[in-house]
Amino acid sequence: MAHDEYETIKVSTEDAIGTITLSRPKALNALNDKVMEEVVAAAEVMDADPAVRAIIITGDGPKAFAAGADIKEMSTLTYSEAFHKQLGARLGRLADVRKPTIAAVAGYALGGGCELAMLADILIAADTAVFGQPEVTLGVIPGLGGTQRLVRAVGKAKAMEVVLGGARLTAEQAERAGLAARVVPAAELMAEARALAGRIAAASAPAVAKAKDCVLRALETPLAEGLRYEQREFWSCFALQDQKEGMAAFIEKRKPVIQDK
Ligand code: CAA
């Protein structure tokens, strides 16, 4: 899909950083089928584009990152329709993107919005961010990974309070609980996200991809297996030209010339 064909998102690429902006401000960037389809399509295009080295996902406007899956679109769905269309499943493909993803969250990140933010590798929160999983108040449960990723991020006690009790987390609470990596003033959110993406973009892409893969694997494997996996990936880095150059540059007190090889 060409960049200008998207209807519900804006995309741009600058300085090796791809940015995907959810853009349905009148609906607080609620995730309807089209948004989910386009976010994943754009991320997959950027993942395949050598000009992009890190991807930022954010929301248009100060009020919401995304206020959840689109309730109006879902309200009349039958079980059969949800089952056959695999409601929400496509968004999960974001987890397969190899390049690092950063969620830059300002305002509401509720329901599917919180789940989308958690799908990213790193979550940076503006001091205006509000996180929550209010699905049970609508007679459903989180369906885009909320019951699984939130508990891994913040532990059972907080996750249960949020998922069952409708508790909302402020940006500061989200940072304390381990959901957000950092809280920044809202006006500086995108600059901070870009600075972080820029630091990632400057490093060796294969090393970054290996590091991301290893960290994500830690969520799914026993420690001993994860450590064995990490060692193999670590050793394989010594086949990279970037390792030779990176270490030589350090020793020679100069900047490395990264070649992604
Ligand atoms: N879906 C569809 N439309 C939504 C929406 C959503 N999730 N959230 C907000 N909107 C729409 C509102 O309907 C409203 O549209 P209209 O002007 O046409 O009425 C517009 O966005 C502005 O919203 P509000 O008037 O409600 O704004 P507010 O400032 O009073 O409240 C809010 C903001 C607290 C975020 C409130 O909008 C809200 O509670 N939204 C729903 C949050 C929610 O329950 N999310 C979970 C969805 S279910 C889900 O995500 C399931 C899943 O895991 C996959």
Side-chain angles (χ1 to χ4, degrees):
M1 203 180 282
H3 276 187
D4 55 2
E5 286 171 18
Y6 298 119
E7 288 171 25
T8 62
I9 61 172
K10 295 177 196 160
V11 295
S12 62
T13 301
E14 202 184 334
D15 298 333
I17 301 163
T19 302
I20 300 172
T21 305
L22 311 180
S23 190
R24 294 184 74 210
K26 284 192 187 137
L28 302 185
N29 302 324
L31 307 169
N32 60 13
D33 285 347
K34 191 84 183 162
V35 178
M36 293 194 259
E37 177 61 38
E38 290 190 345
V39 167
V40 173
E44 286 175 345
V45 168
M46 289 176 178
D47 205 25
D49 181 353
V52 176
R53 302 173 69 84
I55 300 167
I56 296 173
I57 302 172
T58 192
D60 209 358
K63 194 168 167 187
F65 174 74
D70 192 310
I71 299 167
K72 291 168 187 165
E73 191 177 75
M74 289 184 296
S75 64
T76 58
L77 273 187
T78 63
Y79 166 71
S80 176
E81 286 165 341
F83 175 81
H84 285 292
K85 75 192 281 198
Q86 301 188 43
L87 177 62
R90 177 94 175 110
L91 195 74
R93 298 293 296 276
L94 270 182
D96 298 331
V97 168
R98 285 211 309 179
K99 289 176 184 167
T101 52
I102 298 169
V105 178
Y108 293 111
L110 300 178
C114 186
E115 293 168 301
L116 171 60
M118 290 191 290
L119 264 161
D121 299 320
I122 305 174
L123 195 167
I124 300 186
D127 50 11
T128 58
V130 178
F131 300 88
Q133 297 287 165
E135 284 88 344
V136 292
T137 65
L138 299 165
V140 293
I141 66 170
L144 305 177
T147 63
Q148 303 303 298
R149 291 198 174 90
L150 189 64
V151 70
R152 281 164 172 78
V154 305
K156 178 187 161 194
K158 271 268 168 274
M160 287 292 193
E161 195 186 15
V162 171
V163 173
L164 306 190
R168 287 179 179 174
L169 301 179
T170 62
E172 285 74 19
Q173 287 169 329
E175 184 190 24
R176 265 204 306 280
L179 179 60
R182 205 140 44 86
V183 181
V184 299
E188 292 162 27
L189 177 65
M190 290 313 291
E192 290 283 343
R194 280 194 204 99
L196 173 59
R199 288 195 292 278
I200 294 169
S204 166
V208 167
K210 284 172 186 291
K212 165 172 168 164
D213 181 36
C214 285
V215 174
L216 290 179
R217 192 157 287 248
L219 296 173
E220 302 194 10
T221 47
L223 179 61
E225 181 48 36
L227 289 170
R228 274 193 291 273
Y229 188 80
E230 182 197 71
Q231 284 211 317
R232 286 191 292 269
E233 286 299 302
F234 173 56
W235 295 334
S236 77
C237 292
F238 290 85
L240 291 172
Q241 214 166 297
D242 287 343
Q243 173 271 326
K244 302 284 173 293
E245 167 63 10
M247 292 191 179
F250 173 81
I251 292 164
E252 292 159 20
K253 300 189 190 301
R254 61 175 173 82
K255 275 199 163 200
V257 182
I258 293 298
Q259 289 189 19
D260 295 336
K261 287 187 201 156

